[in-house]
Amino acid sequence: LLMVAAPVAAAGGHSPAAVQPWTPAGVSSGLFESHAAFDPVNGDLYFVRSSKSFSGWRILTSHCDGKAWTPPLPPSFAGAGLEADPWFTPDGRSLYFISSRANAGMRSKDLDIWRVDRNADGRWGTPVRLPSPVNSNEAEWFPRPAPDGWLYFGSNRPGGAGKNDIWRARESAPGQWTVENVTAVNTAGNEYEPLPSPDGRRMIVMADGGLYESRLGPGGWSARVKLGQQVNVNGSEIGALFSPSGKSLLFARDTGEPKSGEFLVWHADGNESWPPSCGAALKGS
């Protein structure tokens, strides 16, 4: 299980698992890379690249050609405006993301949740904006489906505990959604990004100060607890991704000059071979 990291040696004299850079050649750059997702169908890497100051977000994708990751390019469904937070359904047939693109000819004033489905030939179709009440008149962030059927996301809509909160939505019938606030993990501050674990029993939350963890019990989600100093170095930690086993966590951190935002991996429960490598050895690792 992914345990809360501690800055001191764990019980039994063993040191906590180390956080290591993940800097694949062709993907890592002098700009800010974050929010990775691997396509379950073909293994392609989708991620967000932005300026060094974490602005101008765009989704890019890279393919492993057997030797190296190919130069990142926008996916076929890319639109105008800001786009970020890609996430695949387990079968790879759909991808959720956020976008400020226009909808039905109307320019968006903020970021909304969109979904794009694969056609029968495996290519991406036309993205569709999720309806109200999933999307609101305010910004939505980081849509992440959970094994229990809920779609978790962040939003600064009214009715929450503070500023940005974690919410979840469930589709009871085609186009009919119920939305509720995940009150246990929210505070008077900001909670932006919810990441349910593959087994649905844990959730990583990106909030003010970095990454936190909540656990699901008989009474629902627990209050969030901040991960330790190995993970949370400067409070800029963002865009977490569990390995399929749930034993490791990939995330990004603003490491400052000259690299800006870089990927890091935390093998919290054994040194599993993940994230997937591609061809030649990873640059800088």
Side-chain angles (χ1 to χ4, degrees):
L1 295 179
L2 178 64
M3 303 301 292
V4 175
V8 296
H14 297 291
S15 298
V19 172
Q20 300 174 333
W22 187 68
T23 53
V27 173
S28 179
S29 75
L31 298 176
F32 203 123
E33 283 85 35
S34 64
H35 297 81
F38 292 97
D39 189 334
V41 173
N42 54 31
D44 287 355
L45 170 63
Y46 286 62
F47 67 98
V48 174
R49 178 173 285 165
S50 51
S51 71
K52 290 189 175 186
S53 61
F54 197 57
S55 61
W57 310 327
R58 297 297 296 169
I59 296 174
L60 298 177
T61 182
S62 177
H63 174 72
C64 178
D65 64 6
K67 297 180 180 179
W69 293 104
T70 58
L73 296 171
S76 61
F77 58 81
L82 301 176
E83 298 197 317
D85 300 356
W87 188 258
F88 292 93
T89 55
D91 59 11
R93 294 181 180 178
S94 300
L95 181 144
Y96 290 89
F97 63 103
I98 59 172
S99 177
S100 64
R101 67 174 67 194
N103 179 49
M106 298 292 291
R107 186 175 180 179
S108 176
K109 72 179 184 67
D110 53 43
L111 289 151
D112 291 326
I113 298 173
W114 292 68
R115 187 184 69 222
V116 60
D117 298 328
R118 274 194 162 102
N119 296 323
D121 62 3
R123 298 181 181 181
W124 293 115
T126 301
V128 175
R129 180 184 179 272
L130 269 62
S132 173
V134 181
N135 283 307
S136 69
N137 291 328
E138 303 298 333
E140 279 72 46
W141 319 98
F142 209 74
R144 297 296 185 262
D148 61 7
W150 288 97
L151 174 67
Y152 287 77
F153 60 96
S155 178
N156 65 347
R157 67 186 62 194
K163 300 174 183 177
N164 287 275
D165 270 10
I166 303 304
W167 299 76
R168 64 181 185 178
R170 183 187 292 274
E171 190 174 23
S172 56
Q176 301 296 315
W177 292 81
T178 299
V179 173
E180 62 184 37
N181 187 275
V182 188
T183 56
V185 303
N186 292 318
T187 68
N190 286 298
E191 289 79 26
Y192 295 98
E193 298 181 349
L195 176 69
S197 61
D199 63 7
R201 297 168 59 189
R202 294 163 290 147
M203 181 163 58
I204 300 297
V205 178
M206 193 283 283
D208 290 336
L211 299 178
Y212 299 74
E213 184 182 53
S214 174
R215 290 179 177 262
L216 185 62
W221 291 104
S222 67
R224 57 180 174 83
V225 176
K226 192 171 186 179
L227 299 180
Q229 294 177 3
Q230 287 184 303
V231 172
N232 289 307
V233 170
N234 58 18
S236 69
E237 291 75 20
I238 196 169
L241 169 69
F242 277 111
S243 64
S245 70
K247 294 180 178 180
S248 300
L249 193 72
L250 184 68
F251 61 96
R253 178 191 298 142
D254 187 350
T255 59
E257 293 293 348
K259 285 293 187 180
S260 183
E262 289 294 310
F263 288 119
L264 300 108
V265 60
W266 182 34
H267 294 297
D269 187 13
N271 192 26
E272 66 175 332
S273 181
W274 186 88
S277 60
C278 178
L282 299 182
K283 179 178 67 176
S285 61

